Every structure is written in structure tokens, then in C-alpha cells.
Amino acid sequence: MLSREAITGLCAMLQDVLRPIGFRVILSHGPEDYCALNFYMSGSFQGCTRDMCGVSQAVAHCCIKEVTNALFKRAGDYVHYRIDPDSQAERAIEFEAIVGFPQVQGVIGCMHVAIEAPTDQPATFIEWGFHSINVQLVCDHRKHFLQVCSLFLGSSHDAYILRQSQVPQLSRPPARLQGWMLGEKGYALKSWLLRPAINPCTAVEEKYNTCHGSTPASIERPLGC
């Protein structure tokens, strides 16, 4: 749930983008201005948002489209993976403070975002019984997004999405990731990505799995990943 302060800040951020096209974005002016946020937060359909906000389907559609486009234009200001030495050092220190896992530079995982059934090959979007897009997320210790990849349909495997995304490039020159990411057991083990030990049989492996599991859990639970 967004706070009043978050909504006010969001409106202020979008004013300069939306004003040139004549779009009302001051949320305090009336219920129609809530269409986009209502649509995002409810996970419902435009028709439900239209009825709740008391506007026509055309207004609801326009509101959602324009606010979405405006947010997309500003996404790079907030979703970015800084790999300068100071940023890497800060992430490593803060992650280690969670349960003692050293040199962590991010937690990676995927979540399914429900969508309406597409007209083209709808079966390929089905996973867990509903149509979705499988979105890959990389988060830092503050629960901030470092990288988002939303290009793949719901039936795509998490490991496949990782291979096709920009994340592996972070371990190659000229970028140099000094540490590793933590991912679930569905990912392949990499020099820059650590997954849980399969069938741990020693105390060291058990401790490793406990620390590995606790670090992503502290980040993923609030995000619903």
C-alpha cells in the first residue's frame, strides 16, 4: 500500500512528463486521477478500475496508458545497477550484516505477473494455472530494484531468462562485479551466482544453506517474489 507521501511524490515526479500532453495527474482533484494507481495496486482489469473510479472505459484506458508511459520514461532514474567500487562495498557490508554472508552484490529471482490471455499462443503464457509474464528481479539490501527484465512469457524458465538477460554481462569486462549474487536452486552455479547446496551432508554445507536462504528471504518476502 502506498502512503500519502509516496503518492504525492509520485505525482510531483510525473507532472513535467504529463503536463505537455494535457494530462491531469494531481491526485487530490478527483477519483479519475486514481485510475492508474488503482489498476497497478489491485492487479485487476480496466473494467473494475473504471467502475471503482466512476469514469468511462476510455478515460480509464487513457489514464493507465499515459501514466505507465510516463513511469517507464523515468524508470532508469530509479532502477539501475551501480558497479562502482563504493556502491559494491556498501552492498557487501549491508548484506553481510543480515546473516553474515560475505560479498553479496544482489539477490536474483523471478515472479509471475498475471495478465489477460493473449490472442497469440495463449498457452505459452500459462504457468501455475494462469496467464503471466515471468519477471526477473535483482534487489539490493534496501529492497530496491537493481535490474528488471520483463520480456519473457510465463512458461519461460528462470534460468533461461537469466541467460538471456543483461545480468551475466556484469561479470564480464569492462564491468567487474566484485562478489556474487544469490539465487534459488533452479539456477546453474556460476562464479558470480551462488545457489543452495544440493543434498547438504556436512555441518558446513548446512550452515551455508541457512545463510544463503536467510539472506534472500529478508529481501524477497516484502516484494512478494
Side-chain angles (χ1 to χ4, degrees):
M1 183 67 67
L2 293 177
S3 65
R4 182 182 297 273
E5 292 76 15
I7 294 174
T8 301
L10 182 62
C11 293
M13 180 189 73
L14 296 179
Q15 281 285 10
D16 292 339
V17 180
L18 295 174
R19 187 182 294 114
I21 61 176
F23 187 79
R24 277 180 60 209
V25 69
I26 303 300
L27 297 186
S28 59
H29 282 182
E32 69 183 65
D33 300 309
Y34 285 101
C35 281
L37 291 179
N38 179 276
F39 179 73
Y40 300 148
M41 296 173 66
S42 66
S44 185
F45 299 106
Q46 289 186 17
C48 298
T49 299
R50 172 202 63 196
D51 296 340
M52 182 174 295
C53 295
V55 298
S56 68
Q57 177 70 40
V59 170
H61 174 77
C62 179
C63 179
I64 294 167
K65 178 181 178 181
E66 299 300 345
V67 173
T68 300
N69 289 340
L71 288 172
F72 183 77
K73 290 178 180 179
R74 295 296 304 273
D77 296 340
Y78 300 92
V79 181
H80 45 249
Y81 204 135
R82 299 189 186 278
I83 58 173
D84 58 278
D86 289 343
S87 296
Q88 293 201 56
E90 178 187 0
R91 285 195 298 266
I93 292 171
E94 295 298 332
F95 268 117
E96 187 169 4
I98 297 175
V99 289
F101 208 113
Q103 297 301 317
V104 177
Q105 291 297 321
V107 172
I108 188 167
C110 288
M111 64 180 295
H112 288 270
V113 178
I115 60 172
E116 292 188 67
T119 56
D120 184 26
Q121 299 182 322
T124 60
F125 288 82
I126 296 178
E127 184 71 13
W128 305 109
F130 60 91
H131 296 88
S132 69
I133 294 174
N134 197 5
V135 181
Q136 176 180 277
L137 303 169
V138 179
C139 300
D140 67 7
H141 55 283
R142 296 175 178 170
K143 308 179 183 67
H144 292 170
F145 294 126
L146 301 178
Q147 193 268 355
V148 177
C149 180
S150 58
L151 301 176
F152 295 89
L153 40 80
S155 61
S156 300
H157 193 277
D158 295 0
Y160 172 79
I161 296 175
L162 175 60
R163 291 196 300 271
Q164 302 301 318
S165 73
Q166 297 179 343
V167 171
Q169 299 176 14
L170 295 172
S171 63
R172 304 167 187 160
R176 282 297 182 186
L177 198 63
Q178 303 299 320
W180 35 72
M181 296 184 192
L182 301 184
E184 297 179 343
K185 60 183 179 181
Y187 291 112
L189 184 64
K190 304 287 185 180
S191 60
W192 51 269
L193 190 150
L194 301 181
R195 67 178 189 179
I198 306 301
N199 299 321
C201 55
T202 67
V204 172
E205 290 176 340
E206 292 284 359
K207 183 176 181 180
Y208 166 83
N209 275 8
T210 298
C211 292
H212 185 290
S214 298
T215 304
S218 66
I219 306 302
E220 293 173 351
R221 288 195 192 104
L223 297 173
C225 297

